[in-house]
């Protein structure tokens, strides 16, 4: 099993290296000249050339990529062209703010989706099952910005007016000092992710509950709770772990829209600002952070799937 996990880890590292290559090439294809974007259209050719030299834009592409990659390995994400400071200093508070948002959404959405799916499966065909399936299907069909706007209308502007519609944290203050402003962004992400997990868990549990080994456990006279906990859930967790991982990984990228909608001071808002200012180093850093979250979460899902699936454990052994 250790060999299989190490193999998945090496594959993840290779994918991450490919992502660095793609991110670097993609930023090269962005229209416009960063030096001209910073200095403006009235800048003289001499000033533009001097800034290009300062930003190392006059060096060969392969040299710039190797320098950037070497900086990543040492924790140096480069220098922001808009602030003229380290990207790590610019993103420090924003990364922690986004992580808080994602962790809160994941901690609520994952168990809620698994519980709803299991509960619905145990009531298969009944009114409660049909109600949960119908509601989750409707919510899953809605884009995140529609859900967010609906929550703003319902709880912040027109109907109840009990929560702030946007984040109003002053510069330099941690976003968690005002918990009320976290509610709507977190609920939006939870409502986007939970239906997929719930529907996948319901389908997987239906298959597991109809399987031969669960039927055998029932014929042995075991209580239904024992059958569910010892025989059904462990076999359902493996396949669902992949879906949970994909949905939680989506949070890293999908949160960009939610952060923009609620003016949340995370990496999503920073990415939009960086693209507008043609701040290539910040765009590269944030894109790579989001990709790394995708890869790490999927790696963890693979490990959970191996540990939860007896067949994979046997093959790995």
């Amino acid at each position: 099993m250790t060999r299989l996990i190490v193999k998945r880890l090496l594959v993840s590292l290779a994918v991450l290296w490919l992502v660095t290559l793609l991110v670097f090439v993609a930023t090269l294809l962005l229209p416009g000249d960063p030096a001209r974007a910073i200095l403006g259209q009235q800048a003289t050719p001499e000033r533009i050339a001097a800034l290009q030299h300062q930003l190392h834009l006059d060096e060969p592409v392969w040299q710039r990529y190797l320098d950037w990659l070497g900086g990543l390995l040492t924790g140096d994400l480069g220098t922001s062209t808009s602030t003229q400071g380290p990207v790590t200093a610019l993103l420090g508070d924003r990364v922690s703010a986004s992580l808080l948002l994602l962790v809160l959404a994941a901690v609520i959405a994952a168990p809620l989706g698994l519980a709803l799916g299991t509960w619905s499966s145990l009531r298969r065909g009944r009114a409660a099952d049909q109600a949960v399936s119908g509601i989750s299907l409707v919510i899953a069909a809605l884009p995140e910005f529609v859900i967010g706007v609906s929550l703003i209308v319902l709880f912040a502007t027109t109907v109840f007016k009990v929560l702030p519609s946007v984040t109003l944290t002053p510069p330099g203050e941690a976003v968690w000092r005002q918990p009320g402003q976290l509610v709507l962004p977190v609920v939006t992400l939870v409502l986007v992710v939970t239906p997929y997990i719930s529907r996948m868990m319901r389908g997987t549990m239906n298959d597991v509950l109809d399987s031969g080994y669960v039927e055998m456990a029932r014929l042995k006279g075991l209580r239904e709770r024992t059958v569910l906990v010892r025989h059904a859930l462990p076999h359902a967790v493996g396949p669902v772990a992949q879906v949970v991982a994909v949905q939680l990984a989506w949070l890293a990228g999908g949160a960009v829209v939610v952060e923009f909608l609620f003016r949340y001071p995370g990496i999503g808002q920073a990415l939009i600002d960086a693209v507008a200012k043609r701040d290539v180093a910040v765009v590269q850093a944030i894109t790579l952070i989001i990709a790394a979250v995708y890869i790490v979460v999927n790696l963890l899902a693979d490990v959970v799937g191996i540990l939860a699936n007896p067949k994979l454990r046997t093959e790995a052994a």
Side-chain angles (χ1 to χ4, degrees), residues 85-127:
V87 174
T88 51
L90 175 68
L91 296 182
D93 292 339
R94 290 178 177 269
V95 170
S96 59
S98 288
L99 280 178
L100 175 66
L101 192 66
L102 301 183
V103 169
L104 288 175
V107 167
I108 297 173
L112 179 61
L114 296 176
L116 276 177
T118 303
W119 185 79
S120 184
S121 176
L122 295 175
R123 290 157 181 77
R124 188 178 357 173
R126 299 180 188 175

Side-chain angles (χ1 to χ4, degrees), residues 133-272:
S133 298
I135 293 172
S136 63
L137 183 61
V138 171
I139 296 177
L142 298 175
E144 56 269 28
F145 70 89
V146 173
I147 296 175
V149 170
S150 301
L151 291 175
I152 291 174
V153 171
L154 188 60
F155 294 105
T157 58
T158 305
V159 182
F160 294 111
K161 295 184 181 180
V162 294
L163 293 169
S165 59
V166 295
T167 306
L168 299 173
T169 301
E173 181 178 318
V175 69
W176 53 82
R177 291 185 180 276
Q178 301 182 39
Q181 63 189 3
L182 294 171
V183 175
L184 291 183
V186 170
V187 172
T188 301
L189 291 175
V190 169
L191 288 178
V192 172
V193 170
T194 301
Y196 294 98
I197 300 175
S198 172
R199 292 179 65 80
M200 183 63 187
M201 187 64 185
R202 178 186 178 277
T204 305
M205 279 297 294
N206 286 343
D207 294 338
V208 172
L209 291 175
D210 292 338
S211 63
Y213 51 85
V214 170
E215 185 65 23
M216 182 62 69
R218 286 171 172 159
L219 291 175
K220 289 179 180 178
L222 297 178
R223 293 185 303 172
E224 190 64 23
R225 177 177 298 181
T226 304
V227 172
L228 177 66
V229 174
R230 291 187 180 178
H231 298 276
L233 282 176
H235 289 83
V237 167
V240 176
Q242 300 292 334
V243 176
V244 174
V246 170
Q247 293 304 310
L248 296 185
W250 173 90
L251 287 175
V256 173
V257 176
V258 176
E259 290 185 2
F260 177 74
L261 179 64
F262 292 99
R263 303 297 298 172
Y264 188 83
I267 58 172
Q269 186 65 43
L271 178 61
I272 294 172

Side-chain angles (χ1 to χ4, degrees), residues 11-21 65 69 288 291-293 295:
V11 171
S12 298
L13 291 176
V15 172
L16 187 59
W17 172 72
L18 287 175
V19 168
T20 66
L21 198 59
Y65 173 71
L69 192 61
L288 198 58
V293 171
I295 293 170

